[in-house]
Amino acid sequence: MELENRLAGLLTAAGGTKVVTVDVSLVAALAEALAVDPAELSATVRALAEEYAGPAAASGIHGVDWRVDLPPATARAVVSDALVITFLRWFGFEGHSIADLSGAGNPLFSVDRVEVGTAVTRLHCTTSNAEPSGEQSKVIERLEQAGLHRSRGGEITLRPPGSVRTIHLVCGAPMSPDRVKVLVSYAHDDEAHKVAVGTLAELLVHNGIDVDLDLWAGPARKDWGSWATGCIENADFVLVVASPRYRHVGDGVVATSDNRGVQSEAALIRDLLHRDRAVWTAKLLPVVLPGRSIDEIPLFLQPYCGGHYVVAVLTQAGIDELLRRITAQPGHVRPPLGEVPVLPPYSTVAGEVTGQPLLATVRPGLPLVPVEDLDPFELDVHRAISLDVGDDALPALPRYVTRPHDRKLLEKVGQAIAGTSGIAILVGSSSTGKTRACFEAAKQLPTDWSVWHPISPTPPQALLDGLAEVPPRTVVWLDELQQYLLTSEPSLGEEVAARLRALLRDRRNAPVLVLGTIWPERMRTITSVDPAADLGSCTQAGQLVKDVQIAVPSRFDQAELAALGEAAQIDPRLRQALQHTRSREITQYLAGAPAMVERYQVAPAVAHVVIDVAADVRRLGYAGDVPWSFL
């Protein structure tokens, strides 16, 4: 981390800095990160310093404890080129001169950021717009064959001979002369939210985006309203970060004296959107950070029909979709239009066509549902309580409050978005919100993901029949996991588990995300060990669920109840649950009441009468347990 911080300061040194120090300790640390001999790297630094700053500057690079002070631009060029040249020499250009590999002011690419892990070093670079000279054309040709293109970037991975360290060169496309200007508009809900917004802004800056953020506006006293107005008017894009407080402000349900800053920003954004909807719909980008929900985006931004950008994890991979939108680099590009083929007619016998229509030979695919079209009730999310008034104006599901198990689940979602297959099993008692949590997590996936819910002819058989056809970017939805693993014929459940494990290991078909729910007692059946039969955690099912279980608590803690209180200001169903639930079992109240009413409506006549009498006794004011002899 110390090396990363020092390089970050050196590679982004401001013009106001008079000199930047490059010394033997920096070169030694870089040599270890690049798996190269320190003396060789020192020689490269010396040659580059002489090339960029003259012999006098390079003369100080000798001995065992050397240091030189260089102008910021020179120090950046020397260190950046030393990193690139070392990588290219490991890549196979060890016989080339420094001029061939750095270009004397015409570099192939420049290093913007360095990440150094225990066994991995990543060089984040930007390719050059400049025309190559001399031997550089051959270098570029070799790099493009390996997957790094000057026009659109790419990534190359290598492991130096005899080293356990892996080096990644990750390059973005060259930036245009005019940088993209972005304002991040957000509410100060709490300190954790401010930190998350700051991390997002830093990630964008590291990727060449010119970000305006109030935290970076400096300590001088200023008119914040004028500052925000200027930033919004000058921005190419305005990122509106979803949160409960921003939703309240955007929907106009807070007092005029609350959150005045974000009220001012939201009012101006609404006005600009009303003035020119076509222009500002494209410029306003709603962003959902980890632990947040699409339902926290103000309604005037049309979060569902206007689109939004989910940052499931605050990493380079997590901001990919947002970054592609800001920099106009789509992830999916329509191929060139081909030629219309000439199709011969079917052969005939005695005037009858013998060929079969194409549709008759194509097997129907899996019933995949795009994540943007998910119906929670088709995925077995419990319906919530109904109210006597205002029910029609409420959304189908109550507002969602993120809890610790949601954050663990979103980590799995983030890994899937980044390209790694995975599985998460939510374990909790009845009506604790397991399926709803999976539904909310699935909604955070990009729009090119789909969900498959295998249920017919039987859940385990449907799963076995369709697993071979599961495409990448699919969520396999296994609500009530015991239906698939605890089958009446144990071998069937074992085959299901084995096939699922094979699917998760198949990198050619990645990423795939398996989401399941189950009660604790049923999970114990899967994981228990029978020494006599050698079953349990040694079985395929036991191995499938090992280390992937996420516990879902039955009760809300005090912090979660506080967050629920904010959401209850908008959703009366949550307000009723808070008022009538003393055990803090909020989800059970919301989901259990409809289930109990349904059981009452279909109960036998005798049971119906007993329940009616008990209800009458309670209505008449009797608060204790009703004796069976009385009923």
Side-chain angles (χ1 to χ4, degrees), residues 321-439:
E321 184 182 11
L322 177 63
L323 189 61
R324 288 181 180 278
R325 173 65 190 94
I326 293 173
T327 59
Q329 300 181 77
H332 303 282
V333 180
R334 176 181 172 178
L337 192 65
E339 298 292 333
V340 177
V342 177
L343 304 175
Y346 290 128
S347 59
T348 60
V349 177
E352 294 185 3
V353 177
T354 59
Q356 296 296 320
L358 180 61
L359 291 179
T361 63
V362 176
R363 180 182 177 182
L366 296 177
L368 301 177
V369 180
V371 291
E372 57 188 343
D373 297 332
L374 292 179
D375 183 331
F377 305 123
E378 290 185 358
L379 296 175
D380 299 329
V381 175
H382 287 303
R383 294 184 183 274
I385 55 175
S386 297
L387 302 180
D388 294 334
V389 293
D391 231 22
D392 294 339
L394 293 172
L397 295 175
R399 292 179 67 83
Y400 195 68
V401 174
T402 303
R403 302 168 69 192
H405 61 268
D406 294 292
R407 287 184 274 275
K408 294 178 182 179
L409 189 54
L410 285 174
E411 290 179 7
K412 287 288 186 180
V413 171
Q415 293 167 7
I417 293 174
T420 302
S421 293
I423 176 173
I425 307 300
L426 269 63
V427 183
S429 301
S430 176
S431 300
T432 50
K434 303 182 296 297
T435 311
R436 175 72 187 274
C438 290
F439 173 73

Side-chain angles (χ1 to χ4, degrees), residues 537-602:
S537 60
C538 298
T539 65
Q540 293 287 347
Q543 291 298 314
L544 176 70
V545 303
K546 185 179 181 182
D547 300 326
V548 298
Q549 301 169 39
I550 300 175
V552 179
S554 298
R555 294 177 173 83
F556 278 53
D557 63 23
Q558 291 303 320
E560 293 160 359
L561 288 175
L564 193 70
E566 286 200 21
Q569 297 178 26
I570 295 177
D571 196 318
R573 293 167 295 189
L574 297 181
R575 192 157 57 246
Q576 179 173 317
L578 276 173
Q579 292 170 350
H580 293 85
T581 308
R582 297 181 180 176
S583 62
R584 296 183 281 128
E585 295 180 334
I586 302 296
T587 56
Q588 293 88 329
Y589 182 91
L590 292 170
M596 292 174 65
V597 170
E598 183 178 6
R599 291 190 64 181
Y600 167 75
Q601 290 172 339
V602 299

Side-chain angles (χ1 to χ4, degrees), residues 93 104 146 150 172 268 364 484 498 528:
F93 295 105
R150 298 181 73 225
L268 177 57
Y484 301 90
S528 61

